[in-house]
Amino acid sequence: MTTVEKRVEEIKSKGYELDFGTVFNHAFENYKKIALYAGSMILVFLVVMGILITGGFILAIGMPAFIKMANPENLKTIESLVGINLILYLGSMLALGLLIGPFFAGFLKMAHSADKDEAFTSAAIFEYYKAPYFLQIIISSLIISVFNMTISLLLNRTGILYLGTLSSLIINFITLLTVAFIVFGKLNALDAIKASITVVLKNPITILALTITAFIGSLVGFIGCCIGVFFTLPIMYSMTYALYNAIIGFETKKID
């Protein structure tokens, strides 16, 4: 049993204390170190992805069909999709999530390097597109996404407004630390998911308060110029890192 696994077992039996102010201050100080660089990387990545996805659709179905599909009058809600359209929608969303998962995991690496005052480069963002992390991040994303989509669709079809959305938020919340457990704790996908759920449910109020605070902070970028949100969004990754650091901690040896 690794040190991380022992810590999770200890938390499972004894719980843990989490100070809001300490974690928030740590996250904010970390964010200030990575904001500009991480924000630039997110902006460039999303622009490139947008071009590639748009170009892919145009090549696949042609410009006239793409323009017709993009018309707001022709857009459908997920609840109204059936048959092949539903399968294509879920498949594309799942594929996109699997593709970008390791990319955004790189911001945790960046946050860790910044916390240790180590230099970080653009290569750090792509650190987890290699073994053994890539496969475990993909598997965890697949498990969470499939479960999330299935529950959300089933609940949405009950007709109760926002029930599916609420379930998605809850699932995303309790699996918040999954990727951190993979990249820092070196757990496999299933163990990382279980560890995240265990840790979050032992102190949900404080973690929820910190997460909401960081989310509100990330929205500040919409004020004045919407492009600023790319530079405030990294606070979410700094918060995830600060939570993992406060709850699990790190050994003195260097993290890969």
Side-chain angles (χ1 to χ4, degrees):
M1 184 177 288
T2 66
T3 302
V4 172
E5 289 172 326
K6 289 178 181 177
R7 175 59 179 154
V8 173
E9 288 300 315
E10 179 184 354
I11 288 173
K12 188 182 297 185
S13 60
K14 300 180 181 179
Y16 62 95
E17 296 292 329
L18 194 64
D19 182 72
F20 180 96
T22 301
V23 177
F24 176 80
N25 289 335
H26 184 195
F28 187 67
E29 290 302 317
N30 183 269
Y31 161 73
K32 290 192 295 184
K33 296 178 181 179
I34 72 170
L36 184 59
Y37 200 91
S40 300
M41 291 297 296
I42 292 174
L43 178 59
V44 171
F45 177 79
L46 293 181
V47 169
V48 172
M49 285 295 296
I51 293 174
L52 291 176
I53 292 173
T54 301
F57 270 110
I58 292 174
L59 288 175
I61 65 177
M63 179 63 79
F66 176 77
I67 294 175
K68 181 179 179 180
M69 182 183 70
N71 189 326
E73 295 180 356
N74 296 326
L75 295 179
K76 298 180 180 180
T77 63
I78 186 172
E79 291 84 358
S80 64
L81 296 176
V82 294
I84 188 63
N85 290 328
L86 179 60
I87 293 174
L88 288 174
Y89 170 81
L90 294 178
S92 61
M93 290 298 100
L94 185 58
L96 181 62
L98 296 179
L99 177 65
I100 67 177
F103 174 80
F104 285 105
F107 290 110
L108 295 178
K109 169 75 172 181
M110 184 182 291
H112 185 58
S113 296
D115 202 38
K116 298 191 299 179
D117 293 320
E118 294 179 351
F120 48 84
T121 63
S122 58
I125 296 296
F126 303 99
E127 179 77 14
Y128 301 118
Y129 278 99
K130 62 184 183 182
Y133 307 105
F134 179 73
L135 181 60
Q136 298 306 321
I137 293 173
I138 291 297
I139 293 174
S140 68
S141 297
L142 181 62
I143 293 172
I144 294 170
S145 297
V146 170
F147 185 74
N148 203 339
M149 286 182 178
T150 302
I151 297 298
S152 181
L153 283 172
L154 290 175
L155 291 177
N156 281 337
R157 292 187 182 281
T158 65
I160 302 177
L161 195 62
Y162 302 127
L163 192 57
T165 301
L166 179 61
S167 72
S168 294
L169 290 173
I170 292 173
I171 292 170
N172 289 333
F173 173 64
I174 63 177
T175 57
L176 173 69
L177 298 174
T178 297
V179 175
F181 273 110
I182 292 174
V183 301
F184 296 134
K186 296 182 173 60
L187 300 184
N188 62 48
L190 191 57
D191 287 341
I193 292 172
K194 291 190 292 185
S196 178
I197 294 173
T198 296
V199 166
V200 172
L201 292 182
K202 280 294 183 179
N203 206 330
I205 303 302
T206 305
I207 295 178
L208 180 61
L210 285 163
T211 303
I212 291 175
T213 302
F215 177 71
I216 293 173
S218 71
L219 297 180
V220 172
F222 282 112
I223 299 176
C225 182
C226 290
I227 197 172
V229 75
F230 296 113
F231 298 93
T232 53
L233 184 60
I235 195 171
M236 295 298 296
Y237 300 99
S238 290
M239 181 59 73
T240 301
Y241 170 78
L243 282 168
Y244 181 88
N245 181 71
I247 298 168
I248 304 299
F250 292 92
E251 297 182 71
T252 55
K253 64 180 181 180
K254 184 179 179 180
I255 301 295
D256 293 334

